[in-house]
Amino acid sequence: MRRKAAVLLSLCGLLAVSTLGATAASGAPRTDDDAPAPAGWERVDTQLLNELLVDDGAAPLNASADEPEELPWAVQSMNTGLFVASEQRYAEPYTGVLRARSDSVGGGWEQFDIYFDDASETVTLTSRANGLNVATERNFTGASNGVLRARSEGIGSWERFVLYYHDDLQTFAFRSVVNDLFVATEQNNTGSLQNVLRARSDWINGSWEQFYLY
């Protein structure tokens, strides 16, 4: 059963964990986050997040919570119907790359913790498989530019994403802070990078940029 509030409950539980240091490669977060959302989409800010939490019968965000409650969640590509996994057995430089390739949530490879930073109103994904944060690989070249990979110990602009929500579709979209592009499922790729997640779209053009959260 699809649960649109699953990610929101995770955000609520993990709000207290939002002060990790940035990696050296990540730098300071960008500040140009006032761009209008695509039609029908809303940026998930603190106000919207609290509204959705209350609508779901949960308490609003509480930054004074003593201990975060770890609630792993899963990401499903709307385009393929497959769950996103962190490919732990891939060789460098693709170790930990995110790819929509699993029929079900079988374990840590398909599970993530989500962290909401109240100051920047951005989210960070942490892989349950290796405990590392998901980064947008801005320095990769060609068709690999912008791939998402669980590889960072800290949090900076490479590891931050703006979350969008479509109330009618009950789907979510991620925009990478470091390059201002939306994450897409690369269904037309072949081989080991088929259905890889990559921050490369200027807009939420369709199902490639949409995800269900459980």
Side-chain angles (χ1 to χ4, degrees):
M1 176 180 175
R2 187 174 304 146
R3 296 180 296 148
K4 70 177 182 179
V7 63
L8 303 178
L9 296 176
S10 294
L11 286 171
C12 181
L14 293 169
L15 176 64
V17 189
S18 61
T19 59
L20 297 178
T23 58
S26 300
R30 296 171 65 105
T31 58
D32 52 350
D33 286 331
D34 295 327
W41 291 86
E42 292 183 82
R43 174 177 173 168
V44 179
D45 57 12
T46 305
Q47 179 179 348
L48 176 57
L49 186 57
N50 280 329
E51 290 174 359
L52 293 172
L53 285 167
V54 171
D55 287 345
D56 194 61
L61 295 175
N62 179 12
S64 63
D66 293 332
E67 293 293 336
E69 180 182 3
E70 293 189 357
L71 299 172
W73 55 281
V75 181
Q76 183 186 31
S77 168
M78 181 184 185
N79 178 251
T80 65
L82 299 174
F83 289 94
V84 174
S86 175
E87 298 287 2
Q88 298 300 307
R89 295 197 181 104
Y90 278 19
E92 289 292 346
Y94 294 112
T95 306
V97 71
L98 268 57
R99 194 163 71 95
R101 57 81 154 168
S102 299
D103 291 327
S104 61
V105 181
W109 285 36
E110 294 86 17
Q111 293 180 332
F112 300 87
D113 290 325
I114 191 164
Y115 298 80
F116 184 78
D117 180 68
D118 194 43
S120 63
E121 295 182 327
T122 58
V123 297
T124 299
L125 288 71
T126 303
S127 171
R128 276 292 179 99
N130 61 9
L132 298 178
N133 301 317
V134 174
T136 300
E137 295 290 3
R138 187 181 187 186
N139 290 341
F140 282 14
T141 60
S144 296
N145 179 258
V147 296
L148 270 55
R149 194 162 71 97
R151 59 82 157 164
S152 300
E153 294 182 355
I155 298 175
S157 61
W158 288 37
E159 293 80 23
R160 293 193 186 278
F161 300 86
V162 179
L163 187 66
Y164 291 84
Y165 176 68
H166 198 294
D167 187 59
D168 292 334
L169 300 174
Q170 295 188 9
T171 55
F172 292 84
F174 298 87
R175 179 167 61 84
S176 173
V177 169
V178 73
N179 67 3
D180 286 324
L181 298 177
F182 286 93
V183 174
T185 302
E186 295 288 6
Q187 187 177 10
N188 289 345
N189 281 6
T190 58
S192 61
L193 292 182
Q194 184 180 35
N195 296 333
V196 71
L197 267 57
R198 190 161 75 97
R200 58 81 155 166
S201 299
D202 291 329
W203 209 245
I204 304 172
N205 299 305
S207 61
W208 286 38
E209 292 84 19
Q210 296 183 55
F211 300 90
Y212 298 114
L213 301 178
Y214 295 81

